[in-house]
Every structure is written in C-alpha cells, then in structure tokens.
Amino acid sequence: MEQVPRERDARTRLDLQAVGALLSAQRQRIGVYAHAHRPHPHDAERPLERRPDVIPDAVVELLEAMPMAAMLVTPVLDERGEVEDILYLAQNKHARAYSTTHVPLDAVPRWTGPVRLFERFPLLKHTRLPRMLAAAHRECTPQGPEAVEWFIPRPSDPPARLSNEVHVAPCGEHLLVSWEPGHRLRMAMGAQKLVKTCWAEWNLADDTVEPSVGFGYVLGLDETAPAPDLLGMAALVAPESLPELYRTLYEVLLREHRSECELWMPGPGPYKRVIRMVAEPVRPEGGGPVWAVRAVLVDVTDDRRRRGQARAADEEARRQRGRAEALAEVSHALRDAVLPRFAGELVSYGLDAVAVYRPDATGSGVGGDWYKARGLPGGRILIALGDARGHGLDAVTLMAKLRYALGGLAYTEAPVEQLTRWLNEVACDDGAESTATAVIARYHPERSLLRWTCAGHPRPVLLRDGRATQLPAPEGGPGVTLGVMPGIGYTAVETFLDDTDIVLLYSDGLTERRDTDPDEDTTRLLNEAENCLGGARPPRGHDGLQEYAERLLDRLDGPHRADDATLLALRRVPVRKEPTGSP
C-alpha cells in the first residue's frame, strides 16, 4: 500500500527537476543572446560640449507633479534639422524611484545631471523610443502609449529586462517622456476578482515577475505572498498537472508557440482549484530567444464544478424524465433566479422600467436573453439588454456570467464604452462559442440623458409624440458582437429624453421571423409600437407602462417566432432629489 505514494513522490520530483532544467537551459540561451547584443563598452559618458539652458521652474514643477515616472529630454538637431541626439536633462521622483528598483547599480554610472540618453542607455536605440521622440518633435503631437522593451547588461549577473508603456509629449522646446511598468491594472482589480482572471509576465533572464494586481487572488495566494516564478508555479500545482505545465512551457520556450493547459491547484477543503493558463512567448524585436513568458490565467473552478453538476443533473433527469425535460427545468430555474422583477423601485432614480419575457414558440429550450436595470451610487442607473448565443443551460450560464460581470464592472464608474469593452473581453475569454449581443446604457437623471452602446444588437426604439423611431447607430455603425474578437472599442450615443418619452430595448426574437427581411421586421415593430398607443400615451404609473409593454409583445407574438423574446420599456419620471457623484 505504501509503494504507490512512494512512486508518486518520485515521479513528482522528476517532473519538478524537468521543469527546473527547462528553465535553466532557457536562461542560458538568454545570457548568450544578451552577451552577443551587448553595446560596445565605454569608459565613461562623454561630457557635453555645452551645458543646456536652465530648465524653467514651471517645467520642473510640472515634472514633479506627474503621478508617474517621467523625464525631460531635448533634441539635438543636425544641419538638416533632423534629430541626431537626445539629451537627458531631468527626471522626477517617480523616475528616480523606478531607477532604484529596476536599474542595477553596477550597470550604469550614477546620474548627476544632463547626459546623452542613448550613450547612457545604448540599447534604447533599438527600441521604438527614437522613432517616438523624432515624431513628437517633428509633428509637435503626443506619441504613444507604445510598448518599449529592452535590457540592461550587467558585468556578471543576468541582464535586467525592462518593459514599459511609454508616452512622449512636446513640452515647449523639450520633450516629456513618461512611462509605467507593465499595464495600468489597478482600476481593473474589481473586474479581475469578479471574473477570476489575471495575467503575468515571467522574465526568464532574472526570474522577475510582472503580475497583474489580481494575480495572487486568482491563484489563492496569501495577500503578502510574492508572485511565484515559473518554477514556483510548478511547485504550487498538483503533481498530476506537472506534465501539462511542462508541455506548455516546452511549446512556448522551444517551439515558440502559443499554448494552453489546465492546472489543478490545492483549494479550500477537499476541492482543488482549476486554473486555465494560456501562455505565449515574448521575444526581442528583431529576433532572439524567448526571454519572457506572458500568460493569462483564469480560475475556472466554478465553471468546471457547475458543468460537473449539470452533467450529474442531466444523467439523473435522463433516468427520470429524459435529458431535454431536465435541461429545460434547470434553465428556467436559473433564469428565474437571475432576471429581476421590477416593481417601480427605479422611480426614485428618475426612471420607470418594466420587462416582459416570452420563451420561444418551438419548445427548443430557454434562450440567452437577459436584461438589467439597477440604481448605482451617485444616482445613475445601469441599463442593459442582451442575447447570449444558443439555447438551454449553456446559453443561460453565459448570460448570467455577462449580467453579473456587468453589474460588478458598473461600480468602477467607467463610461459605458469601457464597460462594453470589458464585457467583450469577458465573453472572449469564455470560449469561441460564447458570443452575445447587447445594448449597454447608463441613465443620468439630472440631465435626462441616456448614454448607450450597441454590440451587434438591434438599436433601441424611441416613442416621442406618438411616433416610433429607431435611435441612430453609433458613429461608425453598431459595434462588434461580444466574444468575437478581443481588443475591440465601442462608441456611445447620447439620447436626451423628454417628459413623455418611452425607450424600448428588445431582443431580436421579438421581431425576426424565418424568411423575412430584417428591415421589414423593424418596420413592423415601429408600426405596432405606435398602434398600441392608440393616439394617447400609456397611463401614468408603473402598471400603465407594464400594460403597454405586454400589449405590444402580444401584437408581435405568434406561432412563427423561433426564438425567445424580451422587451424592456423605460419611461422618464420626475426626480425628487438631486443626484450626486461624477457625470
């Protein structure tokens, strides 16, 4: 009985040794590369032919007031007026602190005043910075942010790799260069916790780690614990995951391919945490060995657990009533638990909202329609309506994930354009089949303003003075469907509401029919929205708006509808108190 644990421990030690050997070999390759690409040695920085003019006090104060590392440089021009050199004139306290923590003491001479930038840091010549400096001087416009990656060789130790997001901006006759290590992630901490996603970059030359702010939280580490290097990651995962981690690192480091794996890690109680890791190689510009591993890590424990529970429920339902009946019951229960029932609670925020939902007429299962309307700190209202791809439990699971993610992200007070972009990243990370359309809005009652974005979804309809019109599309057209492509931007539309205005948000199942033209479907909706008014606005109060929404959906409903349908009706109401908070 003791032989099996002993053999498992021996296998674990061998797997850990293999990971360590792989990392050690890659570190040696980086050392060879750094040695071959090191700058020509020089005894000291050449003195300047003339001292630069004294920097005005206002510029010095501006430099010190910046909340990030920054330095002031000035271009040296040749006879043609082209930049031939850059003088490094001054730096602020954040730049000095950055140098203390990132630039090795034995790598460059102590900075005592203005020097030639590319003589002090020769390898910066081979990055994007010279082009940014020349463009900022020539065009007199800010440049960046752009990623600038380089390394500083050291006499005996491994090279120190630096990776920053750099801005260059004109500042009188000078140029202001500012930078931040890695990405600006502190504002995304809440989003990372909500969707249990983080990322990190492991520098293989010096074993340093640049993690996101949610890295320790996703991995279940103590708040004070440092981010582990790759060998430390190997020690954290369960023994059965070590072969998968080795395979992924082998693909990234030696084959220079993007790779992914699922890592099992110790979790609370008897459960293990499941981390999905997607990693890619980072190589120097111009070629060279992989000198860093960049990865996104997602805690999929709950998803795996839910999927396991769904499979168990499916098997039980198969024995009792059959798989289709069981999935329909689970989906209906989840939808009822997720989607709200409005009872006029938003009136104090300056808006009344009602929702009507009908499942599809074909009996193929509950779809992915979802909606949200809730008050936010500061007196604003978050409003959204979307449609997750497919039917059944998978669609409801995706719509629930998007809905809860949006509810948490809205508390960052970011504009709706950024909320939509973040929600797109959540959908993209969920898998190739996890796509959804949505309209996402925020209502500002003090201005009677509705700001909204569109991600592949039918545009809202405005009822004003008895006429129904579809709101104009954002500049450049409706945005891309959520989950199709990461890194997509979205544009907001601003709609000011009058006292009697009603705004209708709806899913495409309300209008679309098989073998019909989409424009005809929209026209039918506009006509019926006007006809339901009967020449008069809906009665005041929540019940009057509810009755109008149900009557409109009844007119558009029928046996030919092949998808579930959702209608969300909004009406402006007087605000009794002045909202507070940022616009």
Side-chain angles (χ1 to χ4, degrees):
M1 295 295 292
E2 296 179 359
Q3 184 176 0
V4 173
R6 191 179 300 117
E7 291 176 353
R8 186 182 297 116
D9 292 342
R11 179 62 184 175
T12 299
R13 286 194 296 272
L14 289 175
D15 288 334
L16 285 171
Q17 291 173 7
V19 172
L22 179 65
L23 297 175
S24 177
Q26 190 66 16
R27 192 174 296 113
Q28 293 179 7
R29 295 186 188 94
I30 295 172
V32 172
Y33 169 83
H35 180 78
H37 291 79
R38 70 190 188 281
H40 296 296
H42 56 277
D43 295 331
E45 294 164 347
R46 293 178 297 154
L48 302 177
E49 286 79 12
R50 71 176 184 86
R51 300 293 294 179
D53 296 334
V54 176
I55 303 171
D57 291 341
V59 175
V60 174
E61 292 176 1
L62 170 66
L63 193 65
E64 288 297 335
M66 294 188 66
M68 61 187 70
M71 63 181 177
L72 192 70
V73 302
T74 190
V76 178
L77 307 181
D78 59 17
E79 297 177 353
R80 298 176 301 171
E82 298 292 332
V83 177
E84 69 173 2
D85 205 348
I86 296 291
L87 297 185
Y88 183 4
L89 302 181
Q91 58 186 349
N92 66 3
K93 59 184 178 182
H94 297 292
R96 292 188 290 272
Y98 179 86
S99 298
T100 301
T101 57
H102 289 75
V103 179
L105 293 176
D106 57 348
V108 294
R110 181 173 176 269
W111 194 82
T112 56
V115 292
R116 294 178 177 87
L117 178 64
F118 297 127
E119 187 169 279
R120 183 172 181 82
F121 302 115
L123 292 181
L124 271 178
K125 287 183 179 179
H126 309 296
T127 68
R128 302 174 183 178
L129 183 59
R131 174 180 57 78
M132 295 174 67
L133 292 166
H137 170 74
R138 181 178 61 254
E139 301 170 8
C140 296
T141 57
Q143 305 292 314
E146 290 194 31
V148 173
E149 297 189 354
W150 55 298
F151 70 91
I152 299 179
R154 289 185 278 189
S156 56
D157 295 321
R161 174 177 170 266
L162 291 88
S163 176
N164 298 287
E165 296 285 327
V166 177
H167 296 75
V168 179
C171 183
E173 298 179 355
H174 307 299
L175 297 173
L176 189 64
V177 182
S178 59
W179 67 95
E180 294 181 278
H183 304 283
R184 300 178 64 184
L185 301 177
R186 287 188 297 273
M187 293 177 59
M189 181 62 180
Q192 291 184 49
K193 284 188 175 182
L194 183 66
V195 298
K196 298 182 179 179
T197 301
C198 67
W199 50 95
E201 199 168 87
W202 287 277
N203 303 317
L204 300 174
D206 54 6
D207 278 338
T208 58
V209 186
E210 292 289 345
S212 71
V213 289
F215 186 82
Y217 174 83
V218 173
L219 294 188
L221 303 178
D222 186 85
E223 292 184 358
T224 60
D229 57 18
L230 286 175
L231 188 57
M233 283 289 295
L236 284 176
V237 304
E240 57 266 32
S241 293
L242 285 172
E244 272 293 287
L245 177 60
Y246 178 85
R247 178 193 60 78
T248 297
L249 293 177
Y250 183 92
E251 288 286 322
V252 172
L253 299 180
L254 299 187
R255 302 186 67 183
E256 300 181 355
H257 291 168
R258 175 185 177 276
S259 186
E260 61 184 84
C261 62
E262 284 193 357
L263 304 176
W264 290 75
M265 305 180 67
Y271 299 104
K272 288 185 178 179
R273 191 186 302 267
V274 185
I275 303 296
R276 180 169 174 259
M277 176 178 175
V278 183
E280 66 177 1
V282 179
R283 301 171 64 243
E285 294 183 16
V290 176
W291 64 2
V293 174
R294 183 182 296 132
V296 174
L297 299 98
V298 184
D299 185 342
V300 296
T301 307
D302 292 341
D303 183 64
R304 295 294 179 269
R305 192 175 300 161
R306 282 195 302 268
R307 292 188 181 186
Q309 292 171 349
R311 285 193 295 267
D314 182 53
E315 290 298 325
E316 180 65 21
R318 188 188 299 273
R319 288 191 294 268
Q320 296 180 3
R321 296 175 302 274
R323 179 176 179 276
E325 181 183 355
L327 284 177
E329 291 180 357
V330 172
S331 299
H332 277 291
L334 182 55
R335 169 173 288 280
D336 289 342
V338 168
L339 295 182
R341 302 288 191 273
F342 302 117
E345 63 269 26
L346 297 180
V347 170
S348 62
Y349 289 81
L351 203 69
D352 197 4
V354 300
V356 184
Y357 169 77
R358 300 282 170 81
D360 72 273
T362 65
S364 60
V366 176
D369 283 8
W370 60 276
Y371 55 91
K372 192 174 189 70
R374 64 168 301 169
L376 296 173
R380 311 292 183 255
I381 302 178
L382 172 68
I383 303 163
L385 189 144
D387 185 0
R389 174 180 177 175
H391 289 79
L393 189 58
D394 287 342
V396 178
T397 301
L398 175 59
M399 73 91 171
K401 181 177 292 186
L402 295 177
R403 186 176 179 276
Y404 283 127
L406 178 61
L409 292 170
Y411 276 82
T412 63
E413 297 186 355
V416 290
E417 302 95 310
Q418 183 62 56
L419 296 182
T420 311
R421 184 167 184 167
W422 281 337
L423 204 62
N424 177 58
E425 300 301 321
V426 173
C428 287
D429 188 67
D430 201 65
E433 300 298 319
S434 297
T435 59
T437 64
V439 168
I440 299 172
R442 183 183 280 118
Y443 180 63
H444 302 251
E446 80 281 9
R447 301 167 60 191
S448 301
L449 171 64
L450 185 72
R451 298 190 78 253
W452 58 276
T453 61
C454 180
H457 198 83
R459 305 195 308 275
V461 168
L462 175 65
L463 281 166
R464 174 175 290 173
D465 298 329
R467 301 288 296 174
T469 57
Q470 196 170 26
L471 291 179
E475 184 177 355
V480 177
T481 298
L482 302 175
V484 173
M485 183 182 299
I488 295 296
Y490 295 85
T491 303
V493 177
E494 295 191 348
T495 303
F496 291 90
L497 302 183
D498 293 338
D499 286 341
T500 60
D501 286 351
I502 295 176
V503 177
L504 303 178
L505 278 65
Y506 59 98
S507 63
D508 56 12
L510 182 67
T511 58
E512 289 185 358
R513 302 294 182 266
R514 292 191 180 95
D515 303 323
T516 60
D517 183 81
D519 292 336
E520 294 178 359
D521 296 334
T522 302
T523 300
R524 185 172 63 253
L525 168 64
L526 298 178
N527 291 337
E528 292 298 340
E530 292 178 5
N531 294 336
C532 283
L533 289 175
R537 63 189 182 192
R540 288 288 184 181
H542 184 79
D543 292 342
L545 187 61
Q546 183 75 45
E547 179 184 358
Y548 171 79
E550 292 179 355
R551 186 166 65 251
L552 174 57
L553 197 146
D554 288 339
R555 287 186 177 227
L556 294 169
D557 203 2
H560 301 292
R561 182 167 53 81
D563 198 359
D564 52 343
T566 302
L567 175 64
L568 181 62
L570 312 169
R571 179 165 58 183
R572 176 186 166 190
V573 296
V575 184
R576 297 176 182 175
K577 59 180 181 178
E578 191 71 18
T580 59
S582 59

